[in-house]
Each structure stands twice: as structure tokens, then as C-alpha cells.
Amino acid sequence: MPAVRVGIVGLGNIARQHIQNIVDGEVQGCKIGAICSRSGSELSDELGVQHFSDYRALCDSGLVDALIIASPTMQHFPMAKYALERKLHVMLEKPIGLSSFEGETLLQYADENTVFALMLNQRTDPTFSKMKEIVESGVLGPIRRTHWTMTNWFRPEIYFEVSDWRATWKGEGGGVLLNQCIHNLDVFQWICGLPNEIHGFCEFGKYHQVEVEDEVTAYLRYPNGATGLFVGSTGEAPGVNRFDVIGDRGSLHFDSGQLTLVRNQQSTSEFNRQTDDMFGMPESHSEIVSTGDKVNQHALIMTNFVDAIRQGGTLLTPAEQGLASLDMANAMLLSTWLNRPVKLPLDRQTYQGALEDRIASSSLRKKSNRKAKVDMSASYR
């Protein structure tokens, strides 16, 4: 079976990581067929492939079967649309669009023979996979409360200064929610389910010279009466990463890389009703859960994408699954703008109108001439 010829659109930090994974053999069954960026690149000669300055020319070249789109968020829709219309398979970096309305529209251009995936790589994190397995096993009983404080996405000012599109409504459609925490929101709803109401409190330019949100606190309500809290920030150092899932029969806690499972001998609700001990509490047992070694998350998602193209396998992260996290992010922003809770399913068209109002008065920033040190491994905390 011939190797899938992959075109890379965008040659920034994450694109180079994908390229390295393919070159190093971390992704089998594919090869790089061409690359594309606004300006030329020495990678063209290093890889022995043609460089295009226009993604449309690459798509029309006949040199590739699939695209990895790793461009600024504002370009996700037009690039993916063009590729899908030409029956190319697409792996799109997160998020699926500037909004869930845009993402929903984009999905209409993929047919049943086109593999369209989204790089929701944190779903392959062994810890989050184990958390999902435990929650779905029912050992915790019905979920009563969720809480994720994710504030170790710290970004210094230079992160924004060296880019013209980051942290602008026009270029990214948001800030910490659309760029960093979209991964966490995806995992949050993947494990705990979608809330049916969100009350968001976003802070805009609190820590950085940006127009979008760089801190958010959101209160969640779920259909079964459970409540939740989500906190995200790019302005705290060193920050916190703690994820709690509280059930009627126990709880699950991820903190500082460690996963702890607490099992109650009797469900909390039963004990609450039956005990005659005024200060009693159900007996419980706590254990550290082994989650296995770290994995190359991006390579695993890419390998699955290639296998789906070659063998028709099931996608781990089909593009449509990127809508739920965007709905949550969009709801947090809309709730802040309206100063009231927002119901889910989200009225995507209403949010789109509110976003377009902000895009109309937004502009791309002037890039700084400062040179930034880049260590991508430090991005994944």
C-alpha cells in the first residue's frame, strides 16, 4: 500500500514538530510531499520537497493526498474548506475554527470518503485516558461536582509580540480559551460530559497587552444537577493544574502529575440519609492510580489519521468532536459579554454575531523584532 503523501501548511513551531515526527519515523505509512508558508524555507531543500507560498497551489499540485494545516486560526476555515472541496484528507490543528459556528459550517465540506481529523492530542495522554476509563466504569457513581483549575499555561509578553495574529479577535477569535485551554475544555467535556449552562467571567488583557481574554473563571451546571468550575489563565506563574471529579461513591483527583482515586465504602447519599452519627462520614480508601509512561501524543493522533486514510480505521479525533469544546469556550465569552448565564446547546449564530462585532474593530498586531527562544517541550505542562 503506497505511503500517504502529506502536505504541511504553515511552518511554525507545531508544524515543525509534526515534520520531525514524520522524518524520525514516529508516524508510519506517510511521507512529506510538499510544504507551504508565506515565505520561503530552508526546509524545502532539507526535505527534498517543493515549497509553495500559496496553499491553493499546493492543493492543486497533485503532489499530496492529505494536508496538515498548522496555520494561524483565522486561516483554518478557508484552507480546510479549499482542501476538502478538492477531496484531500485534512488534519487540522486546534481549534476547528474561530467559533463553533464556523466549525459547524466547515464540516459541511467533508464527504464520506474524506478523512477529516482534528489534533485533539491530549485525549491520548495516559492520565486523561485513565480518568475517562474510571469515570465511565461507574465506580464513582453519578458525578456531583467537577473542578479544573488550569493556570500553568503561563505565557510571557514575547509570546504575543512575535506573532501578528495571536491574542486578537481577528486572528484567533479569543485568547486563553481558544489557544491554550481549548485542549483542557475538550478533555473536560470528554470525561465529564457537556454542561447545560455556563456562567463565565472573563478578564481581557489583565496580564498582557492584548485585547482578548487571558483569565477566565466559569461556573457550570450539568443536566443531572451536578455543578462545576473551570479556571484558566496565561498570567499566573508557576500556576496550578488540578482536575477533580467528585461522584456519589468516590472521587478522582489529578494534581501535579499524580492521579488519586478515592472509593467510599457506602455512597455519600445513602450514608447521608441513614447515619445517626452527627459528625459521621463514609469510610473511604485512597489509592494512587498508575497511568503508564508518557506517549508522543501528536504522533499517535497522526498515525491514527494515516491509518484511517490507508485502511479505513476509526478516527480517534474526528473533526466534529472539536465543536463541543468550542461551544464551551464561546459560551464563557458570550456569558461575560451579556453578563448572564448562557444555556447549552449554544446558539452558535448569536455567538457568531457577537464575535463578528469584535472582529470588525480588531486588527492584527505589528510583530516585534525581538528574537524569541523556543523550546516546544516547555509548552506542554
Side-chain angles (χ1 to χ4, degrees):
M1 186 176 297
V4 176
R5 301 170 302 163
V6 177
I8 316 287
V9 182
L11 296 178
N13 296 332
I14 193 62
R16 289 172 184 264
Q17 187 167 337
H18 292 312
I19 289 171
Q20 199 62 51
N21 281 333
I22 295 172
V23 171
D24 289 347
E26 294 285 335
V27 183
Q28 298 291 318
C30 73
K31 62 182 181 181
I32 299 173
I35 59 176
C36 178
S37 62
R38 287 178 291 183
S39 56
S41 170
E42 74 286 350
L43 278 173
S44 177
D45 292 333
E46 292 178 21
L47 299 171
V49 299
Q50 187 171 343
H51 175 274
F52 292 86
S53 57
D54 188 323
Y55 69 90
R56 290 162 294 196
L58 186 154
C59 290
D60 296 337
S61 69
L63 294 174
V64 300
D65 309 302
L67 284 192
I68 299 174
I69 298 177
S71 62
T73 309
M74 62 184 178
Q75 297 171 346
H76 285 189
F77 182 88
M79 288 181 173
K81 175 179 178 290
Y82 194 87
L84 292 169
E85 287 179 326
R86 279 145 188 80
K87 311 304 180 186
L88 292 175
H89 307 291
V90 173
M91 169 62 75
L92 183 61
E93 268 294 338
K94 56 75 184 170
I96 192 173
L98 294 174
S99 66
S100 52
F101 178 84
E102 191 173 88
E104 181 182 37
T105 305
L106 181 58
L107 288 170
Q108 299 173 14
Y109 295 97
D111 64 27
E112 58 188 18
N113 297 315
T114 307
V115 178
F116 185 17
L118 197 65
M119 185 51 73
L120 303 175
N121 54 283
Q122 291 204 11
R123 292 190 182 192
T124 65
D125 185 299
T127 298
F128 298 142
S129 297
K130 177 60 72 172
M131 290 184 73
K132 183 175 176 64
E133 177 186 320
I134 290 171
V135 169
E136 290 186 343
S137 75
V139 69
L140 301 182
I143 293 178
R144 299 304 190 204
R145 184 174 64 82
T146 66
H147 184 177
W148 199 343
T149 295
M150 182 57 184
T151 61
N152 69 345
W153 282 120
F154 177 74
R155 293 292 184 265
E157 201 72 46
I158 193 169
Y159 175 83
F160 306 102
E161 289 179 358
V162 298
S163 167
D164 61 356
W165 59 277
R166 282 195 181 111
T168 64
W169 297 117
K170 181 172 183 164
E172 198 165 21
V176 63
L177 287 170
L178 274 290
N179 188 320
Q180 291 81 22
C181 284
I182 199 70
H183 283 301
N184 309 107
L185 293 175
D186 174 63
V187 169
F188 203 5
Q189 63 82 30
W190 185 57
I191 293 174
C192 301
L194 269 172
N196 63 342
E197 183 179 272
I198 292 178
H199 199 169
F201 302 88
C202 296
E203 300 289 339
F204 304 96
K206 180 175 181 178
Y207 301 103
H208 307 94
Q209 296 182 44
V210 298
E211 62 185 12
V212 296
E213 82 287 352
D214 53 5
E215 180 182 276
V216 59
T217 300
Y219 180 71
L220 318 176
R221 288 187 178 275
Y222 294 86
N224 72 341
T227 57
L229 188 69
F230 182 81
V231 181
S233 174
T234 52
E236 292 183 18
V240 174
N241 185 4
R242 181 178 173 96
F243 183 8
D244 300 306
V245 184
I246 313 300
D248 186 43
R249 299 195 62 88
S251 56
L252 195 56
H253 310 274
F254 170 71
D255 189 13
S256 302
Q258 181 172 286
L259 185 61
T260 304
L261 172 62
V262 181
R263 302 172 191 254
N264 293 350
Q265 289 190 7
Q266 184 179 13
S267 80
T268 305
S269 56
E270 283 184 352
F271 185 88
N272 178 53
R273 291 191 303 269
Q274 297 173 4
T275 187
D276 60 2
D277 184 346
M278 185 180 294
F279 300 105
M281 184 179 296
E283 292 187 26
S284 62
H285 170 72
S286 177
E287 61 183 279
I288 304 300
V289 179
S290 175
T291 58
D293 297 330
K294 289 184 177 181
V295 298
N296 187 331
Q297 299 176 14
H298 294 89
L300 283 175
I301 296 294
M302 273 301 302
T303 296
N304 170 254
F305 173 65
V306 172
D307 287 347
I309 295 171
R310 301 179 80 206
Q311 303 168 22
T314 301
L315 280 177
L316 292 173
T317 57
E320 61 266 22
Q321 292 190 14
L323 295 177
S325 56
L326 261 184
D327 276 341
M328 290 182 69
N330 293 170
M332 291 175 192
L333 285 165
L334 184 61
S335 172
T336 301
W337 296 333
L338 298 177
N339 195 28
R340 63 171 174 79
V342 168
K343 297 287 187 182
L344 271 71
L346 178 69
D347 184 335
R348 292 170 177 167
Q349 202 149 15
T350 294
Y351 176 78
Q352 185 67 22
L355 176 62
E356 287 176 359
D357 287 344
R358 284 153 182 84
I359 290 174
S361 59
S362 175
S363 60
L364 301 185
R365 68 173 67 247
K366 183 178 180 180
K367 292 173 65 173
S368 168
N369 291 324
R370 293 176 67 193
K371 296 295 183 184
K373 296 178 182 178
V374 179
D375 175 6
M376 280 300 291
S377 65
S379 173
Y380 313 116
R381 301 188 177 100

